[in-house]
Amino acid sequence: MHRTLAALIAAASIAAIPAAAAPTTSAAAFGAREDIRNVEISPSGRYLLYLSAMGASGDSAVVVDLEAGTPPKPVLGMSGTGLRPAYCDWSGDELILCTLYGSGLADGKLAPFSRLIAFGRDGTGARAFDRASSSREFGYSTGDGQVIDVLADKPGSVLMTAYAAAEDTRNTRLARETGGLQVVRLDLKSGARTTIEPPRQDAGGFLSDGHGHVRLMASQIATNGTGYAGRRIDYSYRAKTGGAWKRLATADALDPGQFEPLAFDDSGDFLYALAPNDGRQALFRVALDGSNARQLVYANPHVDVDGVKRVGPYGRVVGATFVDETRGIKTFDPEFEKLAGQLGRALPGAPLVSIQSESADGKRLIVFAGSDRDPGRYYLLDRPTRKLTLITEVRPQLNGMTMGEQRAISFPAHDGTMIPAYLTLPPGKPAKRLPTIVMPHGGPAARDEWGFDWLPQFYVAQGYAVLQPNYRGSSGYGQAWFRKNGFKSWETAIGDVNDGARWLIAQGIADPARMAIVGWSYGGYAALQANVADPSLYNAAIAIAPVTDLQLLRDKQNDAFSDYALARDYIGTGAHLTLGSPARNAARIKAPVLLFHGDRDTTVQIGQSRAMISALEKAGHTNRLVVYSGLDHQLDSSEARADMLRQSAEFLAASLGGAKP
C-alpha cells in the first residue's frame, strides 16, 4: 500500500530545503502554496514549530529557537515519498509528533491513509508507529490512529485511538476474537503501547478530558450485520472517578443538526456540546451527573454555532465560534475577551485575528491576522512585555498585488428566498457589465466565509467579478437551509446558484455574453449541473475534481470501506440519480467545458471526470480534461496550481471573447 516506513524516515532526513522559484506570473504567484502553516509554540515558549512548503509539492517541518536567535532549522522534509505532513505538534519541548497522509491501493482501490511519526526537536531519532499486523486478521485500517490527548503533563507520550482487527481463531488460542477501535497510551521514544480502552467493535470514537482520562465514547452500530457503519450514533460518558459507561445522547450521522460533543470544561463535570435550538446549532453545557441536564451557553439568532475556541496546553474552552457575514466568537472568558480586544486594536488592518497557540504559562502566544485582501501573517506575542513580533507572511509571493474587496451581499432566489453570498469586484473598475464568474463552494455541507481565497482573487486580478453563493444545501445556516443536502436537493441548490447569475445580469453588474461558472469538488458538480439546468446562461464552465455521476459515486467509490452505507444513504436513491448527474445529461450542455483532476484523488475519484468527458464526447461537445499525475483532491502543488490557473484563464478569455491574460 505504501513504501516501508523505514524508507520514509530515511527520505525525511534532509540537509536543506530547496528554495521555491520566484513567481514570474500572476498564475505562479496565486498558485504558490502557503509559505507557512500549522504554527505551534512549545510548552516552555522557547521554540516555534511550523510546516512550510518545500519546492513545488514537498513539505517540511521547521523549528525556530526564539532565544538563540539562530536561523530556522528544517527538521523534517518530505518530497516524492508518497506521504506528507498534515499536522505537527509538540510533546514537551524535546519531541515532535506529526501525522502524515497519503494515498495507496487497498484491495485494488485507491484509498487515503495516514501514519504517525515522532522525532527529536533537532530532527534526529525519527520513529514511525505503524501498527503490527498479522496474516490472520479480518479487515485492516488505513491509519495508525488519531491522537486524542497530547498529555501535556506527561511529555513523551500521547493517548490515541487505534484499530485492532479481529483474527482467525482456527488452530490457535492466541488470536484476537473481537476487534474494533481502542485507546492506547503511546510512548513516543520506545514505541511501546499500553491499552487504556480495550477494542470495541461498535466504537466510532473517543474523547479525552484533556487531562489523560477517556471520558466520552461514540458507538456506531453496524447496518443490519453488514459490517458497514450505521447512521445511529450513541454517545456515552464516564464519571471522573471512572466506572461504567452511561448513556448521554443519540445522533444521526447524516444529519448535521444533531448532538455533537466538543470538549470538557476545566472541572470535568460538564461537557460542551452542539445541539439543536430553534432550528440551528447552539452551544450547550451538559451536566455529567446522571441528569444529562443541558444549559444553553450561546445561540446565534442567524447562523449555527460551529465549534468552541480552545487555548492553552489543556485546551481550555473560552468561547463559541460561528460565521455570520464574517467569522466571529462569543467569548465567555473575561481574560481572553480582553486580550482579543487588545489584539484587534493593535492590528486594525487585519480584522481576522485569532490566537493559534499558547505556551504552558500563557506568556507567549502565536497570533494570526489577515483579511479578505491580506492572505495573513503570523506574530509572536510576548504578554509580559506586550511586544508583538512578526514571524512571517503566509503568501509573500503576492506582495504588491492589489486584491479585490470581498463584500457580503444577498440576492433573491426565484421563490423570493434571500440567498447570502460574497461578491468580489476587480479593483479600479466600475461594476457595470463585467466579465463574471459564479463560483459555488464545495461540500455541499460547507459554506464560503469572508476572508482571503487565492482562487477567486486570481480571477478578480484578471478583471472578473466573482460571486460566491451560499446556496440552500450549504451548512451553517440551520437545518431548514441544509435541506436534504445538495445532492438530494440539487434542484434547489443549483437553482440558487443560477439565480445568482441572473441577479448579477439584472443588476447590470455582469455582462450576459461573458458569464462563466467555476467550481471545485461539489462546486465543480454545480458548475456542470448548472449548465444542465439552464444551458443558455453561461458561456464557459470549469470544473475541478467534480462529481459528475451520482450513481457512480454512490455505488463504486466507497464499497470496500466501512463508511459505504453512510455514503450510499447520503446520495440516496430515486430520479435525482439520473436527473441530477451532469454525465447523464451531457447533451443539454452548450457551453465549452474544461476539467481538471488529480489521478490520486480519493475524495472524488478521477473516474468521475473521465465519465463526464466520455459523455461530452458522445454528445459531440467541445471539452478538455487536464490530468495531474500523483496529485490528490487539493492539487497541492504550486506548479500544478499555477498551470491550472494559466490554462483556465486562457480558456475563459477564448470562451468569453476577451484578451489573453
Side-chain angles (χ1 to χ4, degrees), residues 291-309:
S291 69
N292 297 348
R294 299 182 184 182
Q295 176 189 6
L296 179 64
V297 177
Y298 176 68
N300 187 285
H302 308 293
V303 294
D304 292 327
V305 176
D306 60 13
V308 292
K309 178 64 178 178

Side-chain angles (χ1 to χ4, degrees), residues 581-602:
S581 292
R584 295 173 183 255
N585 298 276
R588 286 184 54 80
I589 297 176
K590 295 180 180 179
V593 173
L594 176 61
L595 304 175
F596 297 95
H597 219 125
D599 67 0
R600 305 287 288 186
D601 191 337
T602 60

Side-chain angles (χ1 to χ4, degrees), residues 532-591:
V532 172
D534 189 342
S536 63
L537 186 57
Y538 301 99
N539 310 104
I542 297 175
I544 308 162
V547 171
T548 70
D549 188 315
L550 298 185
Q551 183 136 8
L552 181 64
L553 180 70
R554 188 195 70 172
D555 293 343
K556 298 297 183 182
Q557 174 131 341
N558 298 298
D559 57 344
F561 302 98
S562 61
D563 61 351
Y564 166 67
L566 291 174
R568 180 195 61 203
D569 291 349
Y570 186 81
I571 301 299
T573 59
H576 71 283
L577 293 181
T578 299
L579 298 176
S581 292
R584 295 173 183 255
N585 298 276
R588 286 184 54 80
I589 297 176
K590 295 180 180 179

Side-chain angles (χ1 to χ4, degrees), residues 106-187:
D107 286 349
K109 290 182 176 291
L110 190 65
F113 65 87
S114 63
R115 295 289 179 260
L116 292 175
I117 184 175
F119 48 90
R121 189 185 66 239
D122 60 358
T124 62
R127 173 183 286 275
F129 303 107
D130 53 330
R131 180 184 60 85
S133 60
S134 77
S135 59
R136 307 183 68 89
E137 290 185 352
F138 297 114
Y140 53 85
S141 172
T142 58
D144 292 338
Q146 180 180 358
V147 175
I148 62 171
D149 196 331
V150 296
L151 299 177
D153 56 350
K154 296 180 178 66
S157 60
V158 297
L159 288 186
M160 59 179 283
T161 58
Y163 176 74
E167 298 174 323
D168 188 344
T169 60
R170 289 174 296 180
N171 303 319
T172 180
R173 295 182 180 179
L174 302 177
R176 186 169 45 238
E177 294 186 13
T178 60
L181 198 67
Q182 61 182 336
V183 178
V184 299
R185 182 166 54 242
L186 175 66
D187 188 300

Side-chain angles (χ1 to χ4, degrees), residues 19-221:
T24 56
T25 67
S26 177
F30 281 97
R33 296 182 304 138
E34 295 177 339
D35 265 23
I36 182 173
R37 66 185 193 280
N38 181 198
V39 186
E40 297 287 344
I41 196 163
S42 70
S44 72
R46 174 169 177 170
Y47 302 101
L48 287 183
L49 167 68
Y50 61 86
L51 294 178
S52 179
M54 185 176 76
S57 56
D59 294 277
S60 64
V62 180
V63 170
V64 180
D65 187 333
L66 297 172
E67 296 182 9
T70 52
K73 180 181 179 180
V75 293
L76 173 74
M78 294 194 135
S79 181
T81 64
L83 282 173
R84 61 199 320 165
Y87 180 76
C88 294
D89 202 354
W90 293 98
S91 179
D93 266 34
E94 303 302 321
L95 287 174
I96 295 169
L97 178 69
C98 291
T99 298
L100 314 176
Y101 73 95
S103 62
L105 292 177
D107 286 349
K109 290 182 176 291
L110 190 65
F113 65 87
S114 63
R115 295 289 179 260
L116 292 175
I117 184 175
F119 48 90
R121 189 185 66 239
D122 60 358
T124 62
R127 173 183 286 275
F129 303 107
D130 53 330
R131 180 184 60 85
S133 60
S134 77
S135 59
R136 307 183 68 89
E137 290 185 352
F138 297 114
Y140 53 85
S141 172
T142 58
D144 292 338
Q146 180 180 358
V147 175
I148 62 171
D149 196 331
V150 296
L151 299 177
D153 56 350
K154 296 180 178 66
S157 60
V158 297
L159 288 186
M160 59 179 283
T161 58
Y163 176 74
E167 298 174 323
D168 188 344
T169 60
R170 289 174 296 180
N171 303 319
T172 180
R173 295 182 180 179
L174 302 177
R176 186 169 45 238
E177 294 186 13
T178 60
L181 198 67
Q182 61 182 336
V183 178
V184 299
R185 182 166 54 242
L186 175 66
D187 188 300
L188 299 180
K189 290 184 177 180
S190 68
R193 297 173 182 234
T194 304
T195 300
I196 304 299
E197 291 292 331
R200 292 181 60 117
Q201 198 168 26
D202 63 341
F206 294 90
L207 187 65
S208 164
D209 63 3
H211 296 274
H213 307 113
V214 181
R215 298 283 310 284
L216 188 125
M217 176 177 64
S219 301
Q220 204 161 356
I221 308 300

